[in-house]
Amino acid sequence: MTTKTKIKLDANSIPPPKKKRGRKRTKKRYFTEDTEAAIAEYLASSNQDERDEIYRTRIHYALYKLAENLIHTFKFYYTEVDNLEDLKHEVICFLLEKLDYFDPSKGSKAFSYFSIVGKNYLILYNNNNYKKKKITVDVMAADEDDGVIRQLGRDQRKKDIKDFIDYFTEYVDKHIFTLFKKNKDRKVCDAINTLFKRRENLEIFNKKALYIYIREMTDVDTPVITKVTKVLKIVYKKLYTEYRETGYVRI
């Protein structure tokens, strides 16, 4: 009896396992296989009532959480609205406009597509508001140390290049899934394109530092970054030739 009592007390004195606590930290997936399937069904339907029902019951929440996570993960807090819920609403409306542009038959995941599209929208939104709050040095004047932008072919007047880069980044956004078939290559491409878009906010211009920064963003080795950069350099030169001849780029 005494032995049993002692064993019971010893058992009760053992602290509870931490597994339960770990499960609490596990985030519930909001963009699931059903979300992917729902988007495909939405695009396949020509009945607006059916589309509205699919969106309301199976897509909206995923886009809401995606917008929320993008805002907080990348700290897009330069906003014209007082309430971040209003900013989430703007992002969701933008993503909804882009729903019909997504093509599941190309093999890409809707989550990847809308993450890139949503992030790019917020980058432009954030940068426009950032300019209103702070005067910054243009990256073209500061990039004198053979930075990534110069490596990709920057050799003309700064004003023309600045205008052209807006075309270039938009083109890369639209054709990223065609230019690169591997997911890790797309990650690097998206990271480089993000740096182009956020060039006004960029405080490092050294080539080596930028490579390290991209590697930290993508968790890939330097050879992968170099390979993707070479492809973008070819695209850059081709589009810039078109830009010089016509004054614009066909996106």
Side-chain angles (χ1 to χ4, degrees), residues 80-235:
E80 292 181 340
V81 296
D82 296 326
N83 192 330
L84 284 181
E85 287 298 320
D86 294 333
L87 179 56
K88 292 177 197 176
H89 176 72
E90 291 183 21
V91 176
I92 292 170
C93 289
F94 178 77
L95 294 177
L96 183 55
E97 291 177 1
K98 297 298 181 182
L99 259 178
D100 285 313
Y101 289 89
F102 176 65
D103 186 357
S105 67
K106 291 184 177 180
S108 58
K109 293 290 186 180
F111 177 74
S112 298
Y113 174 81
F114 288 107
S115 294
I116 292 173
V117 168
K119 184 170 69 173
N120 290 336
Y121 171 81
L122 282 165
I123 287 171
L124 294 175
Y125 182 94
N126 193 72
N127 283 356
N128 288 336
N129 286 290
Y130 181 82
K131 291 175 185 177
K132 297 176 183 178
K133 296 176 182 290
K134 184 178 180 181
I135 299 175
T136 60
V137 177
D138 189 280
V139 69
M140 301 309 173
D143 184 19
E144 297 300 335
D145 192 20
D146 193 30
V148 170
I149 293 176
R150 186 170 183 175
Q151 180 190 4
L152 291 176
R154 184 179 62 83
D155 60 358
Q156 297 296 321
R157 293 184 303 115
K158 292 181 286 186
K159 177 64 170 61
D160 287 342
I161 290 292
K162 187 173 182 180
D163 292 341
F164 167 71
I165 285 178
D166 291 335
Y167 284 112
F168 175 75
T169 54
E170 186 178 353
Y171 181 93
V172 173
D173 283 342
K174 183 174 181 180
H175 298 281
I176 186 172
F177 289 94
T178 303
L179 292 170
F180 301 101
K181 303 302 181 183
K182 294 182 179 179
N183 187 53
K184 63 181 179 180
D185 292 344
R186 291 171 184 162
K187 285 172 62 178
V188 173
C189 176
D190 182 50
I192 293 174
N193 215 33
T194 297
L195 292 180
F196 270 91
K197 292 177 181 178
R198 304 191 77 170
R199 57 192 180 273
E200 290 87 353
N201 304 350
L202 203 59
E203 296 179 355
I204 53 174
F205 307 101
N206 178 275
K207 175 183 175 181
K208 182 178 179 181
L210 283 170
Y211 263 66
I212 293 173
Y213 188 48
I214 294 169
R215 193 167 60 210
E216 289 177 349
M217 291 172 66
T218 59
D219 193 28
V220 302
D221 296 329
T222 299
V224 179
I225 300 174
T226 302
K227 180 181 69 174
V228 172
T229 300
K230 287 181 178 178
V231 174
L232 290 179
K233 182 177 180 180
I234 294 172
V235 174

